[in-house]
Amino acid sequence: MHEAITIHEEQHSAVSLTSTGDAALTVEVIELRVQCAQLRRALDSRAAIDQARGMVMALAPCSCGKAWDVLVDVSQHCNVKLRDVATALVATAEGEPLPTALRRPLRLALRRCRSAERA
């Protein structure tokens, strides 16, 4: 799904840099590349998370903050990354079924959100 770059993998690509001598620079370059890859993943998943939040706001109905809480709740109860929960929810708008493991936790989280909004 998402390409994960680790410091270990980056060290292999930095062998040419270490042969030139500056180990501290090599470490910094590796760390910056890993950070850049992580930021790219975060940006890529942001759109799906925002769309899923909008879907939850329409389903509950609830505020933007409460919709975020619903997604976090489902993510934590299912032990699934929030970006994966969001992607699965957004895919339902295109006819994909929601994975079975997410159905009940989402339904319960939406129910709790509705109850909280009424109170």
Side-chain angles (χ1 to χ4, degrees):
M1 186 186 277
H2 295 283
E3 182 182 334
I5 296 176
T6 64
I7 290 177
H8 215 3
E9 292 167 346
E10 283 294 329
Q11 286 172 340
H12 293 297
S13 67
V15 170
S16 61
L17 287 175
T18 54
S19 63
T20 62
D22 194 355
L25 178 61
T26 300
V27 170
E28 185 177 0
V29 168
I30 291 168
E31 289 172 350
L32 288 171
R33 286 181 180 174
V34 170
Q35 185 179 28
C36 183
Q38 291 170 342
L39 289 170
R40 279 193 192 115
R41 270 196 318 276
L43 284 173
D44 290 345
S45 62
R46 189 70 197 179
I49 291 170
D50 287 343
Q51 289 172 1
R53 205 176 342 180
M55 292 173 75
V56 170
M57 290 169 65
L59 290 169
C62 63
S63 68
C64 187
K66 292 287 185 187
W68 174 263
D69 293 342
V70 166
L71 293 174
V72 169
D73 188 26
V74 173
S75 171
Q76 290 176 345
H77 278 86
C78 297
N79 197 26
V80 174
K81 292 194 178 291
L82 189 131
R83 69 174 173 251
D84 295 335
V85 170
T87 300
L89 185 58
V90 170
T92 64
E94 297 172 0
E96 292 289 323
L98 190 66
T100 306
L102 299 179
R103 289 178 191 166
R104 186 167 190 269
L106 178 61
R107 187 172 53 247
L108 293 174
L110 285 170
R111 188 176 298 150
R112 283 189 298 273
C113 182
R114 286 183 196 119
S115 296
E117 289 292 318
R118 288 184 196 138

